[in-house]
Amino acid sequence: MTTVDVYGSRVRQARVLRRKTSKAVMAELGWKGARQTRLEQAQTTALDVAELERLAQALRFPTEFFTTAPVSRVDAGDLLFRAPRATTAGEKEYLAQFAAAVGDFLVAMDSRAALPPVKLPVLDAGTSIAIAAELVRERMGIELEAPISYLTYEAERCGVPVVTRLRRSKSTGALSWDPVDDDTTLSEKHLGYATRVGEYGDRPLMVIRASGSWERTRWTVAHELGHLVLHAGRSEVTEDQELQASQFASELLAPAKVIAAEVPKVPSLLNLVPLKLKWGISIGALIRHLAASGLIDEQRFEMLRRQLYTRVNPDTGHTWGKTEPGWDAREPERPRLISRWVERCYGANSAAMLTSHQLMWPQDVLEDFLAGQRPAPSRSTAPDPAPAYEGATVIAFDQFRQRRRA
Ligand SMILES: [Zn+2]
């Protein structure tokens, strides 16, 4: 009987990424007792090759995945975000495993072509927000007086890969969030999260939800940068830290001491639009920022906020709070680093093209890694196609396995 050593954390990772319970896996394999749990908790277990084949088939991962040592270790406690109370332990575990999986994919690419070095500073949580934001701009090479035209690109140039999660994941087929959640503008209900991956946990990584709102997408990237810069320690993100990350986001996008000169004498929702468009920050975040920086008084802030969330935008039928003036002025930003590196390392520009490289990742998981990425510019000068936010591709696993064997 031939056996191979199987890594317990890989078994767990594959199961969690498929959103399967141990019970379901055991039922499928006809296993008894706590075998699945024992397998997952052990460092390695010697499994019969035929049994590994069946496990791999049940979890729809190549066998190589289970015999390859994991590199990135991310626990739910390593995630920089404040999960809404309704977030289950299972959901957090999924987000952690997803980040660890992306992390190992990045490690594999980094060994072929070095990723951009990490330039993002790690600061003490007590650092003033203005100083922290200024330092990050300095690392990005962007002057205080200049708007940041494409923040996602700047984050990636600072060594922070950005992954977009589609509402319907390719690898699980499940809808990951309720569309109602998507209505939240400023009170974060997990629009994204950040963590660190890689062998030494020193590669920052950001995972953000695909959103049709350019304001929200940009602001979420800025907010996650705030967490990465200010909250590097391993502890649950507090309400105060959420506020800090949000203040950082606004200050990074629109430095208060620079925009002070541009704020209209009597700010209204409409006369703030030019400021919004110039600096790329939502009016909702902007008025909060102006109030926090003492550039408008509390009374004016309350009035503007009330208008924003009660007046209806006649073009969309939603309140201005949901679709603000200027909501359609830009396309949501999209990351590019991962697609760029996939092309650089494997000459591939899609998950399907990666299958010929015998990677240990299933195609649909790779599709999740690559979701929403901008194609590399060298390929075409045509405008990027809009990412598909909906719909799942059904992967024929047998075909996939046969291709791999071929
Ligand atoms: Zn946050």
Side-chain angles (χ1 to χ4, degrees), residues 383-399:
D384 298 345
Y389 293 130
E390 290 283 359
T393 314
V394 178
I395 303 297
F397 183 67
D398 288 345
Q399 273 178 18

Side-chain angles (χ1 to χ4, degrees), residues 80-82 188 192-193 223-224 227 237 241-242 245-246:
L80 292 171
F81 80 132
R82 195 169 59 90
E188 173 172 304
Y193 63 98
H223 175 99
E224 299 308 329
H227 280 313
V237 172
Q241 289 176 327
E242 272 311 303
S246 294

Side-chain angles (χ1 to χ4, degrees), residues 33-45:
R35 188 158 180 210
Q36 175 74 14
T37 310
R38 274 206 311 276
L39 187 62
E40 289 185 7
Q41 283 173 355
Q43 168 86 6
T44 57
T45 305

Side-chain angles (χ1 to χ4, degrees), residues 70-366:
V71 181
S72 300
R73 209 185 60 211
V74 184
D75 301 324
D78 297 320
L79 304 179
L80 292 171
F81 80 132
R82 195 169 59 90
R85 241 173 252 121
T87 310
T88 62
E91 177 69 14
K92 284 187 200 169
E93 162 109 63
Y94 175 81
L95 298 175
Q97 291 289 2
F98 182 73
V102 174
D104 281 8
F105 183 54
L106 290 169
V107 166
M109 291 203 288
D110 190 43
S111 67
R112 288 171 169 250
L115 291 166
V118 179
K119 288 195 285 181
L120 204 68
V122 173
L123 304 174
D124 188 271
T127 311
S128 111
I129 298 295
I131 287 172
E134 205 170 328
L135 188 58
V136 169
R137 275 176 164 263
E138 203 180 291
R139 297 286 169 91
M140 289 175 171
I142 300 175
E143 287 177 5
L144 214 54
E145 293 74 21
I148 302 175
S149 62
Y150 211 101
L151 180 65
T152 307
Y153 173 61
E154 301 301 339
E156 294 188 316
R157 267 172 33 105
C158 277
V160 189
V162 179
V163 178
T164 307
R165 282 181 71 213
L166 303 184
R167 190 162 161 255
R168 190 186 291 281
S169 139
K170 297 280 185 190
S171 55
T172 67
L175 286 175
S176 302
W177 58 89
D178 198 81
V180 175
D181 278 0
D182 209 38
D183 284 352
T184 51
T185 42
L186 290 173
S187 61
E188 173 172 304
K189 280 200 179 169
H190 160 225
L191 295 170
Y193 63 98
T195 189
R196 283 183 165 79
V197 294
E199 190 172 2
Y200 302 102
D202 48 10
R203 170 66 60 181
L205 173 71
M206 200 184 282
V207 182
I208 62 165
R209 283 182 179 179
S211 160
S213 157
W214 70 263
E215 299 103 314
R216 192 176 305 143
T217 303
R218 231 172 109 84
W219 201 82
T220 303
V221 171
H223 175 99
E224 299 308 329
L225 282 175
H227 280 313
L228 285 169
V229 168
L230 295 164
H231 310 134
R234 273 196 56 135
S235 62
E236 190 107 333
V237 172
T238 63
E239 190 115 12
D240 274 357
Q241 289 176 327
E242 272 311 303
L243 190 65
Q244 277 183 339
S246 294
Q247 285 172 343
F248 173 91
S250 297
E251 184 63 24
L252 179 70
L253 293 173
K257 67 179 177 193
V258 177
I259 62 165
E262 303 173 18
V263 178
K265 270 208 169 62
V266 185
S268 69
L269 290 188
L270 282 181
N271 70 16
L272 285 173
V273 173
L275 218 60
K276 161 186 175 156
L277 296 180
K278 175 177 174 185
W279 296 94
I281 181 170
S282 72
I283 291 180
L286 183 61
I287 58 176
R288 212 168 282 261
H289 185 40
L290 294 178
S293 316
L295 295 172
I296 58 173
D297 61 30
E298 199 58 30
Q299 215 177 351
R300 167 92 11 205
F301 166 67
E302 276 305 328
M303 194 195 83
L304 292 172
R305 199 183 61 88
R306 213 168 35 242
Q307 287 176 0
L308 195 59
Y309 293 101
T310 54
R311 280 197 198 165
V312 172
N313 177 342
D315 292 341
T316 64
H318 298 299
T319 64
W320 287 112
K322 186 176 179 196
T323 47
E324 295 184 350
W327 64 278
D328 54 355
R330 294 186 187 194
E331 286 297 316
E333 291 187 5
R334 291 166 59 189
R336 196 175 68 192
L337 191 142
I338 292 181
S339 61
R340 201 67 188 268
W341 249 254
V342 163
E343 188 178 40
R344 194 169 284 187
C345 296
Y346 306 105
N349 59 15
S350 69
M353 277 178 76
L354 279 174
T355 52
S356 64
H357 288 271
Q358 310 270 310
L359 302 180
M360 64 171 183
W361 307 99
Q363 183 180 331
D364 54 358
V365 171
L366 289 167

